[in-house]
C-alpha cells in the first residue's frame, strides 16, 4: 500500500476530487423538473443542493463553493460570499421535500438497471448497483485501500503515542523503584554493620583461676542474659563448652540444695535451661544433656 501511495500520489490527487464527487443524477422525467432546481453552473440536477439565502437560487454544493467564483451569485450576480451558502434541507425544508419528490433513475439504466427513486437515496443504490462499471474508476480501489490504511495508520500512531507515554511513565516509576531499592540496601548494610558492632561490644565473661568462666549459682541471671543477647549467633570469642560447664554446675548446685543457695535459684535455673534449649550455642550431645536436666525437674 505504501508503494502504491508513493507511485500513484499524483494520480490520486487528480482523481480524489472526482471520486469524492457525488454521482451524476439521471432524471426519470426531465421535462417535469422545475428549472429552479437545475444548477446554472453545471446545468445538472444537483445531488447535494445548496441555496444562496439572498436570492434563493439553487446550485450543486461542489459548484457554488468553487474558489474560482467571485463573491456573487452566478445566476443573478447579487453580492454573496461563497461561504454564505446553506444546504437546501436547512434553509428551506419545503423546497427540499419537493426536491426529494423528484424521481431519478440509475445512470446505468441503459445497461439494464431498473432502479428508480429519490435523489438522496441514489448514492446508497450506486454503492450496491450490480451494473456499476469498475473499470471507469481505475484508482477507486487503490484510493479506498489507501484511505483504509490511513485510518489504520492514524489509529496505530495514536496507540503508539499512548504506549510511548505509558512506557515513559513506567520507566520513571522503575527508576524511582531502583532508587528506593538502593536506599533500602544501603540502610540494610548500615543496620547489619551496627548489629555487628553491637555483637562485638557484648560483655565478655570473666575467667576464674581454673581457666573457666566465673558464672555460678549466684550469677545465673547474668549467664541467661549473656546467652539471650545472641541467641542464634554466638560470638566467636565465647567458648560454648565453658558456658555448658557453668550450666551444669548451677544445675548441680540446685540439685544439692545447699543451705546458702539463692532464694530464686529454682526459677533462675529453669529460665536458664529454657534459654539454652532455644539457643544454637551447644552441640547435639550438650543439648541432650540440657533436655535431661529439664526432664529431671519436670520442666520438659
Amino acid at each position: 500500500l505504501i508503494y502504491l501511495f508513493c507511485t500513484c500520489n499524483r494520480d490520486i490527487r487528480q482523481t480524489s476530487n472526482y471520486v469524492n464527487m457525488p454521482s451524476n443524477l439521471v432524471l426519470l422525467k426531465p421535462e417535469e423538473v422545475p428549472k429552479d432546481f437545475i444548477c446554472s453552473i453545471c446545468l445538472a440536477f444537483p445531488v447535494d443542493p445548496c441555496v444562496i439565502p439572498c436570492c434563493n437560487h439553487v446550485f450543486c454544493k461542489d459548484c457554488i463553493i468553487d474558489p474560482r467564483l467571485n463573491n456573487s451569485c452566478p445566476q443573478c450576480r447579487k453580492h454573496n460570499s461563497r461561504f454564505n451558502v446553506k444546504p437546501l434541507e436547512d434553509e428551506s425544508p419545503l423546497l427540499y421535500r419537493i426536491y426529494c419528490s423528484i424521481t431519478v433513475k440509475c445512470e446505468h439504466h441503459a445497461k439494464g438497471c431498473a432502479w428508480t427513486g429519490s435523489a438522496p437515496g441514489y448514492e446508497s443504490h450506486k454503492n450496491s448497483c450490480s451494473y456499476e462499471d469498475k473499470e471507469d474508476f481505475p484508482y477507486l480501489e487503490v484510493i479506498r485501500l489507501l484511505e483504509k490504511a490511513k485510518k489504520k495508520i492514524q489509529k496505530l500512531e495514536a496507540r503508539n503515542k499512548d504506549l510511548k507515554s505509558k512506557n515513559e511513565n513506567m520507566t520513571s516509576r522503575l527508576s524511582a523503584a531502583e532508587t528506593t531499592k538502593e536506599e533500602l540496601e544501603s540502610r540494610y548494610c548500615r543496620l547489619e554493620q551496627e548489629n555487628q558492632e553491637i555483637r562485638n561490644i557484648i560483655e565478655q565473661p570473666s575467667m576464674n583461676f581454673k581457666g573457666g568462666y566465673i558464672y555460678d549459682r549466684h550469677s545465673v541471671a547474668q549467664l541467661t542474659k549473656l546467652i539471650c543477647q545472641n541467641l542464634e549467633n554466638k560470638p566467636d570469642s565465647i567458648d560454648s563448652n565453658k558456658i555448658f560447664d557453668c550450666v551444669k554446675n548451677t544445675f548441680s548446685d540446685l540439685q544439692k540444695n545447699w543451705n546458702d543457695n539463692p532464694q530464686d535459684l529454682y526459677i533462675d535455673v529453669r529460665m536458664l535451661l529454657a534459654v539454652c534449649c532455644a539457643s544454637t550455642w551447644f552441640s547435639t550431645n550438650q543439648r541432650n544433656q540440657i533436655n535431661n536436666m529439664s526432664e529431671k525437674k519436670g520442666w520438659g
Side-chain angles (χ1 to χ4, degrees):
L1 289 175
I2 296 175
Y3 172 77
L4 289 173
F5 179 82
C6 295
T7 56
C8 301
N9 190 36
R10 176 180 55 83
D11 297 322
I12 291 170
R13 287 199 301 269
Q14 292 175 353
T15 59
S16 60
N17 291 334
Y18 171 69
V19 172
N20 294 328
M21 185 184 298
S23 304
N24 294 328
L25 293 176
V26 180
L27 296 168
L28 184 64
K29 296 179 181 180
E31 67 278 1
E32 296 182 3
V33 177
K35 292 182 179 181
D36 289 336
F37 280 111
I38 302 299
C39 176
S40 61
I41 298 176
C42 66
L43 302 179
F45 187 66
V47 177
D48 191 4
C50 290
V51 63
I52 296 178
C54 66
C55 58
N56 292 324
H57 286 131
V58 179
F59 301 92
C60 298
K61 179 180 178 181
D62 291 334
C63 293
I64 195 61
I65 64 174
D66 192 323
R68 293 172 295 181
L69 295 176
N70 296 325
N71 290 329
S72 61
C73 174
Q75 188 165 336
C76 65
R77 303 303 176 187
K78 283 188 177 181
H79 178 76
N80 179 77
S81 171
R82 62 187 177 90
F83 298 105
N84 188 24
V85 176
K86 303 293 180 62
L88 180 62
E89 182 179 8
D90 297 338
E91 185 66 18
S92 180
L94 177 60
L95 286 178
Y96 185 74
R97 286 199 295 271
I98 297 173
Y99 167 83
C100 292
S101 67
I102 298 173
T103 305
V104 298
K105 57 186 177 181
C106 180
E107 62 181 294
H108 301 300
H109 65 280
K111 298 179 182 180
C113 183
W115 180 88
T116 59
S118 64
Y122 179 61
E123 279 301 307
S124 176
H125 162 73
K126 183 174 175 60
N127 293 331
S128 59
C129 180
S130 59
Y131 292 91
E132 180 70 21
D133 189 359
K134 302 299 182 183
E135 295 180 359
D136 291 343
F137 308 99
Y139 299 106
L140 179 60
E141 190 64 22
V142 174
I143 291 171
R144 287 178 179 172
L145 289 174
L146 285 174
E147 289 297 325
K148 188 176 180 180
K150 272 186 193 176
K151 291 180 180 179
K152 286 187 177 181
I153 289 173
Q154 290 174 353
K155 289 182 180 179
L156 288 173
E157 287 178 345
R159 180 170 177 76
N160 182 57
K161 184 178 180 181
D162 181 54
L163 290 174
K164 185 177 180 181
S165 176
K166 289 182 179 180
N167 182 58
E168 291 176 352
N169 185 35
M170 290 298 293
T171 302
S172 176
R173 293 173 62 183
L174 180 61
S175 177
E178 287 291 337
T179 302
T180 303
K181 178 184 175 184
E182 292 176 358
E183 292 177 353
L184 290 175
E185 289 178 347
S186 177
R187 290 176 62 185
Y188 176 79
C189 290
R190 288 199 303 269
L191 289 174
E192 280 293 318
Q193 185 177 1
E194 291 174 1
N195 288 337
Q196 185 62 41
E197 292 175 355
I198 291 173
R199 286 194 294 268
N200 292 337
I201 62 175
I202 290 176
E203 179 183 356
Q204 296 297 318
S206 301
M207 309 288 288
N208 58 27
F209 68 94
K210 294 181 180 181
Y213 294 146
I214 62 172
Y215 297 111
D216 57 13
R217 54 183 169 157
H218 299 288
S219 56
V220 178
Q222 288 83 350
L223 177 58
T224 304
K225 179 181 177 182
L226 175 67
I227 300 174
C228 283
Q229 285 178 336
N230 289 273
L231 198 63
E232 296 182 351
N233 295 286
K234 181 184 72 65
D236 296 335
S237 59
I238 297 178
D239 189 338
S240 60
N241 292 322
K242 293 180 180 180
I243 293 293
F244 179 71
D245 290 339
C246 294
V247 174
K248 284 198 306 181
N249 292 335
T250 55
F251 182 77
S252 176
D253 289 340
L254 177 65
Q255 289 287 80
K256 293 177 180 179
N257 197 20
W258 303 113
N259 292 329
D260 60 343
N261 279 347
Q263 183 178 356
D264 297 327
L265 182 62
Y266 180 88
I267 296 174
D268 289 342
V269 173
R270 184 174 183 179
M271 178 63 70
L272 173 62
L273 294 181
V275 170
C276 290
C277 290
S279 72
T280 59
W281 285 35
F282 307 102
S283 66
T284 303
N285 182 46
Q286 291 171 342
R287 290 176 62 85
N288 290 336
Q289 293 185 52
I290 293 172
N291 289 332
N292 290 335
M293 295 177 197
S294 298
E295 290 175 359
K296 284 182 180 179
K297 301 301 290 185
W299 300 335

